Amino acid sequence: MAELGIMFSGAFLAATLLPGGSEVLLIALLSNSPEAWGALVITASIGNTLGAMTSFYIGHLARLAKTPAELSSGKHTKGLALIEHYGVWALLLSWAPVIGDVLCLLAGWLKLPLIPSILMMLIGKTIRYLIIAAAVLQWLT
């Protein structure tokens, strides 16, 4: 199904540091194929999580370029405070506009454990897509 490929690509790119809105894409695809809601939500969640993992990895590599002092005094102080206070649990907000990408990047920079980080990202992103899908399906009926 071509829709799943489009959904995966859109969700992946939206989760990286590139701008994009996978929510609008999900709404459009659900409007055309409401019966495919489960496959679309799963595909969007996986694609978006893999995109967030890309940011996580970039953050891991950025550790070589930024010292802790440089990072804590920069524009990432709110995200850094969230991660330092809540640890991997902060990644439940990885879906949130603006701060989500920063949280994933900082989680990699701080070398948070990979598996728990992936799980928190996946859970947060899946819940977001489930809420959007439920709202669209309710609106369509």
Side-chain angles (χ1 to χ4, degrees):
M1 178 166 16
E3 292 172 334
L4 295 180
I6 292 168
M7 186 71 253
F8 180 86
S9 300
F12 179 88
L13 291 173
T16 62
L17 299 176
L18 301 173
S22 59
E23 300 85 0
V24 174
L25 182 57
L26 178 62
I27 291 167
L29 293 173
L30 282 171
S31 297
N32 288 334
S33 303
E35 71 285 351
W37 73 269
L40 287 168
V41 166
I42 290 169
T43 301
S45 298
I46 292 170
N48 210 243
T49 301
L50 288 173
M53 289 171 55
T54 302
S55 296
F56 183 96
Y57 183 67
I58 290 169
H60 192 72
L61 292 177
R63 192 165 181 84
L64 302 172
K66 289 270 189 184
T67 67
E70 289 173 317
L71 194 64
S72 63
S73 65
K75 61 183 178 181
H76 306 302
T77 53
K78 285 186 181 184
L80 191 56
L82 274 172
I83 294 272
E84 287 176 336
H85 187 266
Y86 295 105
V88 295
W89 293 99
L91 294 173
L92 288 171
L93 295 174
S94 64
W95 62 269
V98 182
I99 191 83
D101 294 338
V102 172
L103 290 174
C104 296
L105 194 72
L106 291 172
W109 191 87
L110 291 168
K111 295 185 178 180
L112 291 185
L114 181 62
I115 300 302
S117 295
I118 293 169
L119 286 174
M120 292 300 119
M121 288 185 253
L122 180 63
I123 290 167
K125 291 169 181 295
T126 301
I127 290 170
R128 178 217 18 212
Y129 287 125
L130 282 171
I131 291 170
I132 292 168
V136 170
L137 294 173
Q138 180 67 32
W139 180 74
L140 289 175
T141 56

